[in-house]
Amino acid sequence: MQRLVVAVLLVANAHGWILNTLPKATPISRISPLNMFSGAGTGGESDEVAEANAKAYGMSLKEYQLAMRMREQMANALNNFRATGKSGDVEVVYDGNVKLQSCTISSVDSGKEQLEGDILKAWEQALEGAAKEGQAQFMKMQSDIQKEMPAKGMGM
C-alpha cells in the first residue's frame, strides 16, 4: 500500500498533474465531522435519554455523565493534537485520531528514490506520533476516571 501511494504521487508529479498545480501546503478537508468517538455528548441529552443510556450500559447516571465528560475531553485532546513527520522536502501532519491533516512536498529536485524515502519516513514519523498520543490520551482518561470516581462517591 505504501509503495502504491508513493508510486501514484511520483507518476502524477512526473506528468505535472499534482505538484505543479496545487499550492505548496494542501490541507485535507474534512468531509464529515465523525471521528473515532461518536455517540451522545455531555450536554446534548435529555435527562430521560441519559438515564436510559446509563441503564443500558449498567451504570448509574453519575457514572455515565462522568464517562461522557471524559470521552469528550479525550476526543477534544485528540482532535487538537498534531503529529508532524518531516524528512527532506516532505512534511506530513496527522491529528490524534490518526487522520491525515496535510502533506507538503516543497521540492521534487532530490530525485525519485530520495523523494520516495522521504515520503515514507515522514509518513511513518507522523503516524507513530499520532498513535502514541492516542494511547497516552486513553491512559490519561482512565487515570482521570479512577481519580474522580471516589471523589464523587462512586464505586469502582
Side-chain angles (χ1 to χ4, degrees), residues 1-19 105 112 115-116 119:
M1 177 71 177
Q2 295 173 6
R3 299 272 182 208
L4 177 62
V5 171
V6 170
V8 169
L9 287 172
L10 291 174
V11 169
N13 177 54
H15 293 285
W17 298 334
I18 295 178
L19 299 179
I105 300 173
K112 176 185 171 188
L115 183 59
E116 179 181 282
I119 290 170

Side-chain angles (χ1 to χ4, degrees), residues 6 24 44 46 61 63 77 82 99 107 118 125 133:
V6 170
K24 289 192 182 236
S46 68
L61 181 58
E63 290 170 332
R82 296 294 180 265
K99 282 186 172 179
S107 173
D118 289 345
Q125 288 172 358
E133 179 64 13

